[in-house]
Amino acid sequence: MALTNNRKICPFKEDHKLISKINYKDYKFLRKFITEQGKIIPGFVTGVSSKYQRMLTKEIKKARNIALLPYVHDPRNA
Amino acid sequence: MNYYETLYIVHPALESGRLKDIILSTQSMFEGMNIEVLNTDIWGKKKLAYLIDKQQYGTYVLVQLKSNGQDINKISTELEHNPNILAYLTNRITESEIQKNPRTLDEQILGSKSSESGAVKDSDSATRSNTTKVLEKNKPAEASSSSEAVEGDKPAEASSSSEAVESDNNNEELRNEENNGTNE
């Protein structure tokens, strides 16, 4: 029962308009799904379903490639 | 025929005139390869998430193209050997993602330059002790990827105009904070 109570709702299933924001050009939106260090936050933490987590991961990696998002970031040196 | 888009970063040392030359030369290079250029969007000078060729800043340019698969492969070799282009990324897109930018290249370069000059002014005024403190406070907030900081942000549209407006807003915020600091 505890598991069902803690279950989160996928933000992309709640609001379908957000799906179009999963794009490497919209890197400010993608920042929601990475940590301060630059790591991709797993879906079970954010509640994103696996379908959209796969899309997010691809787009975050594209944004990293073109230096819109960091691969690694040390918050102490900021 | 497929649709593609290439986002490339031009060296930050290039000024408006030379920037236009680089963009036009890449455009003519694309056209020489039977690649049709549908749209060019200059995002302006941005801070890179990490250093590329020891550069902290770069001018982002987005080009949307129409081509077949064989010709688009040649882009990467050309861009790879261009010393003025720090990085590039080519993606396949659908026809619905093609944007039409009504602004000409000159207007876009001028628009991005005005936002740049605002950034330069801020860095110049940073010599004052008050402002350096403000900037130091702002930097980690911008760089941090915390979810709260980003939730309030508008969706970053690919159009350079929205980027320019956003950067202007940031500059205004900075100036306001500077004024507050000096008043106190």
Side-chain angles (χ1 to χ4, degrees):
Chain A
M1 281 306 287
L3 274 174
T4 51
N5 288 342
N6 289 338
R7 198 157 197 178
K8 286 168 187 165
I9 303 160
C10 175
F12 299 102
K13 288 184 176 175
E14 270 196 327
D15 187 1
H16 288 275
K17 284 174 192 167
L18 287 180
I19 299 170
S20 62
K21 283 189 172 188
I22 308 179
N23 192 317
Y24 72 100
K25 290 183 280 183
D26 204 341
Y27 61 98
K28 285 181 183 172
F29 174 73
L30 296 180
R31 270 188 199 157
K32 276 185 187 183
F33 302 96
I34 62 170
T35 65
E36 216 173 338
Q37 288 179 305
K39 292 179 172 184
I40 298 172
I41 304 174
F44 70 86
V45 177
T46 52
V48 178
S49 65
S50 44
K51 179 183 176 182
Y52 298 114
Q53 184 69 20
R54 282 196 297 273
M55 288 163 74
L56 273 176
T57 313
K58 278 186 182 175
E59 297 300 322
I60 289 171
K61 286 175 182 177
K62 279 182 199 168
R64 281 176 179 171
N65 190 325
I66 199 74
L68 292 171
L69 290 178
Y71 282 101
V72 283
H73 178 250
D74 193 346
R76 292 173 299 176
N77 296 341
Chain B
M1 287 296 236
N2 300 321
Y3 295 94
Y4 298 90
E5 67 181 11
T6 299
L7 181 65
Y8 59 90
I9 309 172
V10 183
H11 199 283
L14 297 175
E15 292 299 320
S16 55
R18 290 175 68 200
L19 177 67
K20 196 186 171 190
D21 288 345
I22 292 291
I23 292 166
L24 288 177
S25 69
T26 45
Q27 251 182 36
S28 59
M29 184 257 288
F30 290 149
E31 277 154 11
M33 293 175 184
N34 293 329
I35 299 168
E36 194 184 333
V37 179
L38 303 172
N39 179 31
T40 306
D41 195 352
I42 302 169
W43 290 10
K45 206 172 183 180
K46 284 177 176 294
K47 193 174 183 183
L48 307 178
Y50 49 87
L51 299 185
I52 304 177
D53 292 350
K54 298 179 185 174
Q55 298 300 321
Q56 215 176 357
Y57 293 87
T59 311
Y60 281 85
V61 183
L62 179 78
V63 195
Q64 293 184 322
L65 312 159
K66 188 180 176 185
S67 162
N68 58 32
Q70 279 98 36
D71 290 332
I72 208 81
N73 278 336
K74 297 173 196 161
I75 286 183
S76 58
T77 45
E78 289 291 330
L79 294 180
E80 191 73 55
H81 292 105
N82 192 337
N84 294 318
I85 292 172
L86 302 179
Y88 61 91
L89 180 74
T90 307
N91 274 302
R92 192 173 164 181
I93 53 170
T94 56
E95 196 175 354
S96 59
E97 288 177 80
I98 300 287
Q99 299 152 350
K100 278 286 160 208
N101 201 332
R103 302 202 305 167
T104 61
L105 270 184
D106 285 321
E107 284 171 354
Q108 289 185 51
I109 290 170
L110 280 174
S112 64
K113 215 193 169 194
S114 63
S115 63
E116 268 171 46
S117 60
V120 169
K121 269 179 201 169
D122 285 334
S123 61
D124 287 340
S125 58
T127 47
R128 284 176 281 159
S129 59
N130 283 339
T131 47
T132 45
K133 278 175 194 169
V134 171
L135 285 171
E136 276 169 13
K137 275 180 197 168
N138 284 335
K139 269 182 187 172
E142 282 171 11
S144 73
S145 53
S146 67
S147 58
E148 286 177 8
V150 183
E151 267 177 347
D153 278 339
K154 291 174 189 174
E157 287 169 12
S159 67
S160 64
S161 59
S162 69
E163 288 295 335
V165 168
E166 273 180 22
S167 55
D168 284 342
N169 287 341
N170 287 340
N171 293 335
E172 277 174 18
E173 282 170 18
L174 268 179
R175 279 180 210 126
N176 289 336
E177 282 184 27
E178 283 171 25
N179 292 335
N180 291 339
T182 48
N183 289 339
E184 283 167 9

